[in-house]
Amino acid sequence: MKIKLVDFDIRGDARGSLIALEKEHNVPFDIKRVYYIFDTTDGVRRGFHAHKNLKQLAICVKGSCKFLLDDGTYKNIYNLNEPTKGLYIEGFIWREMFDFSPDCVLMVLADAYYDEADYIRDYKDFTAKVNKSKTKV
Ligand code: TYD
């Protein structure tokens, strides 16, 4: 299980800024999928799931939003408000996204194709699985 905030180098010049994301250089997995969330309805909260097995890197390329990450024991809130910042999430972690600014574009890179079977969408199932893994020696 791993959660990490990463800073990307800006290839900037007088014309503006550019950030390149490359497998193994600043993205620690083989990128299979990219999706982005935008035009989010005011006040909405989304996510509400954990993945059984997925590596993801979330970048708020425009605007801002917050991530609640919960490993079943500890909860932390991460504020994504710069396109230079990425939130790396690996392992069995419950996530909720909220406080989307009206202009927010949240881009997510993933190491696997979309697969509903990889999702745990019930918080009780999530905590039950966390507790089961804790009792294993
Ligand atoms: P959903 O999982 O509800 O989004 P979030 O967890 O961000 O709240 O996904 C919304 C819809 O989009 C749902 O019908 C599944 C579909 N979807 C894909 O087809 N591919 C994807 O990569 C993702 C993330 C979702």
Side-chain angles (χ1 to χ4, degrees):
M1 193 174 347
K2 219 181 201 175
I3 296 169
K4 214 167 106 179
L5 268 174
V6 286
D7 284 308
F8 304 122
D9 291 335
I10 304 177
R11 315 277 163 207
D13 57 31
R15 296 168 300 167
S17 303
L18 183 154
I19 287 174
L21 300 174
E22 291 185 350
K23 172 188 164 186
E24 277 156 30
H25 292 164
N26 50 9
V27 181
F29 52 78
D30 198 358
I31 303 158
K32 289 260 177 58
R33 175 166 55 113
V34 178
Y35 63 92
Y36 41 97
I37 294 170
F38 58 101
D39 282 352
T40 304
T41 308
D42 188 33
V44 95
R45 203 171 173 102
R46 53 187 306 168
F48 294 98
H49 64 257
H51 287 282
K52 293 175 193 163
N53 198 6
L54 188 70
K55 293 175 182 166
Q56 288 187 306
L57 183 64
I59 302 141
C60 202
V61 292
K62 178 94 185 150
S64 62
C65 69
K66 290 185 182 128
F67 263 76
L68 168 87
L69 297 184
D70 174 356
D71 67 3
T73 307
Y74 299 106
K75 292 179 188 183
N76 271 308
I77 290 172
Y78 297 84
N79 195 7
L80 291 188
N81 54 9
E82 291 173 83
T84 56
K85 226 163 42 175
L87 180 62
Y88 177 68
I89 310 166
E90 177 187 324
F92 202 53
I93 293 163
W94 185 263
R95 70 216 54 202
E96 293 171 23
M97 294 87 86
F98 59 104
D99 271 3
F100 290 88
S101 63
D103 61 344
C104 178
V105 181
L106 174 64
M107 182 174 77
V108 183
L109 282 57
D111 77 331
Y113 299 116
Y114 176 73
D115 176 11
E116 191 55 39
D118 186 58
Y119 281 72
I120 304 284
R121 292 194 184 267
D122 184 311
Y123 191 72
K124 280 190 190 147
D125 286 351
F126 169 71
T127 49
K129 281 193 166 58
V130 169
N131 291 332
K132 203 171 160 192
S133 71
K134 274 187 197 158
T135 55
K136 274 189 200 154
V137 186

